[in-house]
Amino acid sequence: MARDQAARTGEAADLPLGRQRPSLAAVRRWVRLELMGEDTDAVADVLLVVNELVSNAYRYTSEPSFLRVVVEPHKIRIEIAHDSRAHPPLRKVSRPQRGYGLVLVARLSDRWGVDRAHGDTVVWAVLPRET
């Protein structure tokens, strides 16, 4: 019940990350619990985006800080914070290789981007919420 109230008010749910990389399956389970009661297709898209953002955070940064999920009236916002100053690479891919992740994020999201403030970087994506 607390999760339903948080979802209605737009309260953020944070999953602390760190050097000890959690399994992506554990991260997806946590997100599924946070989005319990949401549209199944919307949750599936969120899980793909989360998978890519968390994977990239561990691949390209020294230590991600947290994963945040915010459910708002018409959207679901995903954020992952870390201390890297590098821009995440978005490549045009002509043949199978690594590098599809942010292309997938861009296609599934209404918007996505990177914000930098106070020495931290937040990569975020906003997906539509079926109501």
Side-chain angles (χ1 to χ4, degrees):
M1 183 166 312
R3 184 66 238 159
D4 291 339
Q5 289 176 337
R8 281 196 302 272
T9 63
E11 186 176 305
D14 291 351
L15 175 65
L17 301 172
R19 288 185 198 266
Q20 298 292 15
R21 181 180 181 158
S23 75
L24 289 173
V27 171
R28 289 189 302 267
R29 271 192 303 275
W30 178 83
V31 171
R32 257 190 228 102
L33 287 173
E34 293 302 320
L35 297 178
M36 195 175 306
E38 295 294 323
D39 177 76
T40 305
D41 290 336
V43 172
D45 289 349
V46 168
L47 291 173
L48 285 171
V49 169
V50 163
N51 206 68
E52 293 304 326
L53 295 183
V54 171
S55 295
N56 282 354
Y58 278 100
R59 184 175 297 127
Y60 297 113
T61 72
S62 60
E63 185 175 334
S65 304
F66 64 84
L67 169 67
R68 175 172 288 154
V69 175
V70 183
V71 178
E72 296 180 11
H74 300 288
K75 64 186 177 182
I76 299 171
R77 182 176 171 99
I78 306 301
E79 300 176 356
I80 186 156
H82 54 81
D83 62 2
S84 176
R85 304 245 190 273
H87 287 276
L90 176 59
R91 302 179 202 98
K92 292 189 178 195
V93 181
S94 59
R95 61 180 184 197
Q97 62 182 11
R98 282 188 154 178
Y100 283 115
L102 289 178
V103 172
L104 179 66
V105 169
R107 287 191 177 159
L108 292 174
S109 304
D110 285 345
R111 297 183 333 271
W112 77 278
V114 179
D115 294 332
R116 289 180 175 75
H118 311 293
D120 287 331
T121 299
V122 175
V123 181
W124 56 269
V126 174
L127 290 85
R129 179 180 180 216
E130 302 296 323
T131 53

